[in-house]
Amino acid sequence: NITNVKALANILIKLDEDTESLRTVDMNEKMPMSLSLPFGVDLTSKTFELLLEIAEKLSGEFYAENGGHTNGDDIEAVNTVKVRMLALLISVRLLKTNLNHLITWNVDPMSVGFNNKKKDELGLEIADSKPIRQRYVELLNKLVFQRPSLQISKLIENDIHSDCSECLSIGLSVFFQDPLDRVNILVEHVENLLIESNPLRLLLASRYFNSLTKPHNLIALVPALKKQVAGIKAEDIQNNRQRYLLLLSPILQLVYNNCKKALY
């Protein structure tokens, strides 16, 4: 007999398989007017709100202190937890797929609700709540840097770290709209890595750099870096100017290399 849990697991696995082909955007296809594709892409406020709510809920179970809510001898209960962890992983992958299409299709993040705040039961925005964009950043960073203690959670830990890092790097311009904020994020990661070699921070930093070495992202960063350097007070020049030049010099070199490659 196929139990409800097994049926749900099969549905989730099929959904993951169907969306795999959508994780890279086909540049030869025209953007659909509906901003959607079957089996995984639907660029609407509702999509990003639901994915966030699902991931927030399941991340709490991912980081549970112990497995007290399940009996190890209850196979059905254990399998239910495994399926819920699988649902967390697939929700992150769906987010990654939709972010990738959002960026490639050049859709305004504000038009799909990234500045929307949390809503109450009546559908009204809660005034002092955080915007969806900020909630995503906090959740994804937690899923990158914080390690779970449950053995069931550890089964997907590496995939969660990797996919969340990709979400943050792909959606860097969505989550951090001001190029100055992106500069500060990069500087923070570089400085922390110089102090301590953290493999999870290195993973995220490498994904950020992979994303930012694309020509259109580099061009946006150069003015921000120059502005940061020019705006430093005289008494802070020795410390802070050096911080930003640490990034400005290699970024300018990458711009040069990209231009040279395009010309030849």
Side-chain angles (χ1 to χ4, degrees):
N1 293 336
I2 297 179
T3 64
N4 290 338
V5 173
K6 286 185 179 179
L8 180 56
N10 289 334
I11 291 171
L12 288 170
I13 291 168
K14 184 66 169 66
L15 176 61
D16 193 40
E17 291 172 350
D18 288 342
T19 58
E20 187 173 2
S21 62
L22 297 174
R23 286 174 197 152
T24 55
V25 185
D26 188 346
M27 303 299 290
N28 295 319
E29 287 190 2
K30 297 181 74 173
M31 179 184 72
M33 293 297 292
S34 63
L35 298 180
S36 63
L37 294 172
F39 308 116
V41 176
D42 186 26
L43 304 186
T44 63
S45 299
K46 195 66 177 174
T47 295
F48 291 107
E49 287 172 10
L50 285 175
L51 286 174
L52 177 58
E53 288 173 8
I54 292 169
E56 284 179 331
K57 169 66 176 174
L58 295 177
S59 67
E61 299 176 26
F62 180 74
Y63 287 117
E65 289 296 323
N66 56 64
H69 55 287
T70 62
N71 184 337
D73 297 328
D74 187 342
I75 302 300
E76 189 74 5
V78 171
N79 286 339
T80 298
V81 176
K82 287 181 179 179
V83 168
R84 292 177 73 80
M85 293 302 95
L86 177 62
L88 171 62
L89 178 60
I90 292 174
S91 68
V92 170
R93 288 178 174 172
L94 282 169
L95 172 63
K96 179 173 65 174
T97 298
N98 280 272
L99 282 173
N100 207 4
H101 284 78
L102 181 77
I103 298 298
T104 306
W105 290 347
N106 198 28
V107 176
D108 181 4
M110 301 308 103
S111 70
V112 292
F114 273 89
N115 266 5
N116 291 355
K117 295 188 175 182
K118 201 167 188 177
K119 295 177 181 177
D120 59 22
E121 294 82 2
L122 299 176
L124 302 174
E125 284 192 349
I126 302 171
D128 57 350
S129 62
K130 298 173 182 176
I132 284 177
R133 175 169 41 84
Q134 186 178 345
R135 287 166 62 197
Y136 264 127
V137 170
E138 291 176 359
L139 174 64
L140 291 169
N141 272 296
K142 180 179 180 180
L143 288 168
V144 169
F145 291 113
Q146 189 171 324
R147 312 193 90 143
S149 57
L150 288 180
Q151 286 303 312
I152 289 179
S153 300
K154 289 180 182 294
L155 295 174
I156 61 165
E157 179 184 2
N158 290 338
D159 288 326
I160 286 289
H161 291 323
S162 178
D163 285 320
C164 287
S165 294
E166 283 194 55
C167 284
L168 283 166
S169 62
I170 291 169
L172 192 59
S173 61
V174 174
F175 299 132
F176 303 98
Q177 296 169 299
D178 189 338
L180 288 176
D181 291 334
R182 293 173 227 163
V183 170
N184 288 329
I185 290 291
L186 286 172
V187 170
E188 178 186 341
H189 283 303
V190 170
E191 288 186 329
N192 282 318
L193 283 169
L194 290 174
I195 295 170
E196 179 185 3
S197 181
N198 181 323
L200 294 177
R201 187 177 293 280
L202 182 61
L203 171 67
L204 180 55
S206 66
R207 296 289 168 81
Y208 274 153
F209 276 105
N210 285 341
S211 175
L212 288 167
T213 50
K214 294 176 182 177
H216 66 282
N217 283 330
L218 285 169
I219 295 300
L221 276 186
V222 171
L225 280 164
K226 291 180 69 178
K227 184 177 179 181
Q228 283 279 28
V229 174
I232 295 170
K233 295 179 181 178
E235 60 267 25
D236 296 329
I237 282 180
Q238 290 304 318
N239 294 326
N240 289 331
R241 187 183 289 269
Q242 203 164 11
R243 291 176 70 215
Y244 293 105
L245 286 175
L246 178 70
L247 286 176
L248 181 57
S249 179
I251 285 176
L252 287 172
Q253 184 63 46
L254 285 167
V255 172
Y256 170 78
N257 291 342
N258 278 316
C259 291
K260 187 176 179 181
K261 184 178 179 181
L263 288 172
Y264 297 99

